[in-house]
């Protein structure tokens, strides 16, 4: 398999109608022009080809509850935030047909509840749990004094966060959304 690194998908030079499936997993929110990428995805997909797209769900209960403290807001790395309706409209405007959306991510949604709560209540530095789990607090020379309470809150909060994530997924309002679309 060849690896291509390019600023834009169109710079890779993929042939038209080449791919059966394209996966855009937590990428669109980082792009300056997500429409340009989806138009290119439409071009490179075969007829009947599918695209899987995952993004934070800006219209989710978690996003509304946490507001500016929402973990998945992730400014300034996220240039765009998509409510599900807007994402579906964007997908359709690029010639793709929306097929389904799923609202549960075991990896993203429960953690988002815990980190958003910590951010909202201001007990620790913003996204401190995330940075600690990524190992960046030591690299930044910050004190490890917060690690034990952060881990305790993480362990205590995850069961509640799992239940909240399951409920919001059941009501089709998860903190992240996975959209499947097709080129007709």
């Amino acid at each position: 398999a060849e690896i291509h690194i390019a600023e834009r998908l169109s710079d890779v030079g993929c042939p038209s109608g080449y791919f059966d499936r394209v996966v855009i997993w937590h990428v669109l929110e980082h792009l300056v022009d997500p429409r340009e990428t989806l138009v290119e995805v439409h071009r490179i997909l075969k007829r009947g080809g599918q695209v899987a797209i995952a993004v934070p769900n800006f219209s989710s209960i978690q996003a509304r509850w946490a507001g500016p403290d929402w973990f998945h807001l992730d400014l300034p790395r996220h240039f765009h935030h998509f409510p599900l309706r807007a994402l579906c409209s964007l997908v359709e405007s690029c010639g793709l047909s929306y097929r389904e959306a799923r609202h549960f991510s075991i990896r993203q949604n429960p953690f988002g509840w815990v980190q958003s709560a910590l951010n909202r209540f201001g007990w620790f530095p913003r996204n401190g749990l995330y940075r600690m789990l990524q190992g960046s607090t030591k690299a930044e020379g910050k004190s490890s004094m917060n690690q034990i309470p952060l881990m305790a809150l993480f362990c205590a909060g995850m069961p509640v966060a799992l239940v909240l994530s399951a409920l919001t997924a059941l009501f089709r309002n998860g903190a992240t959304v996975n959209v499947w679309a097709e080129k007709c």
Side-chain angles (χ1 to χ4, degrees), residues 67-109:
D69 297 314
W70 187 39
F71 171 67
H72 300 292
L73 197 58
D74 201 12
L75 300 171
R77 294 179 341 123
H78 288 181
F79 293 116
H80 300 276
H81 290 92
F82 300 95
L84 179 56
R85 274 191 198 177
L87 178 60
C88 292
S89 293
L90 176 62
V91 164
E92 298 246 335
S93 75
C94 295
L96 300 161
S97 296
Y98 166 81
R99 293 293 178 235
E100 110 179 75
R102 296 184 187 158
H103 292 264
F104 186 77
S105 167
I106 192 77
R107 184 170 182 236
Q108 301 283 334
N109 297 7

Side-chain angles (χ1 to χ4, degrees), residues 29 80 83 85 109 117 132 142 147-148 181:
E29 64 272 21
H80 300 276
R85 274 191 198 177
N109 297 7
M132 182 191 78
K142 294 187 179 173
Q147 289 185 357
I148 292 172

